[in-house]
Amino acid sequence: MMKRSLFPVLFPACIALLAACSPTPSDRIAKNMPVYQQLPKEQQVKVARGELEKGMSPEAVLLAWGEPEQKMAGWSNGKNTERWIYTRSGTGWSLGLGGGGFRGRDSGVGTGGGVTMPLGGRPPISYNVLFENGKVVSWEAVKGF
């Protein structure tokens, strides 16, 4: 009997599944068309590209970048502020090697081991968007925190 590897089938399926889990600006726009249509034309173009610009509303940022991992409210120079924090994982592709064994008759004792080597890992990146009185005033990327 010939053994077949499932890798050629499972690997592309996993990649497709991961890609489907990351909504794009166009996905968010399609789900929130009335909000998108209320934006100024210049902002519509930026949002569709996943870009920000000074003066954008929180709704425009949600369409462009999605929901942040954290929101922090504050007060600065007599203005209400809010900082949205987006974190992108620093994980990259990896190659794994492993082994294991079973010993004894019905003993249920087992051993195993494995090695993982990163192949193109990336440092984590944090994106911070600062709002004052409900409008974007700045944003920044912080790498390798």
Side-chain angles (χ1 to χ4, degrees), residues 11-121:
F11 184 72
C14 289
I15 295 300
L17 182 61
L18 286 173
C21 293
S22 302
T24 63
S26 57
D27 295 331
R28 292 185 289 270
I29 291 167
K31 289 180 183 176
N32 299 286
M33 189 56 75
V35 173
Y36 178 74
Q37 290 174 332
Q38 294 296 315
L39 299 175
K41 293 289 181 199
E42 308 81 42
Q43 286 188 13
Q44 288 180 359
V45 171
K46 293 265 189 179
V47 164
R49 288 191 223 149
E51 299 173 359
L52 303 185
E53 78 173 19
K54 205 170 179 179
M56 277 186 170
S57 66
E59 293 79 16
V61 176
L62 285 172
L63 290 174
W65 283 15
E67 192 67 40
E69 281 76 23
Q70 293 182 6
K71 293 181 181 179
M72 300 179 344
W75 181 262
S76 178
N77 297 324
K79 297 176 184 171
N80 290 316
T81 63
E82 188 167 37
R83 182 176 304 277
W84 289 9
I85 301 172
Y86 295 84
T87 305
R88 302 293 183 254
S89 173
T91 58
W93 293 98
S94 65
L95 174 66
L97 240 202
F102 184 82
R103 189 176 164 146
R105 185 173 155 178
D106 299 321
S107 68
V109 176
T111 62
V115 176
T116 301
M117 301 179 312
L119 296 175

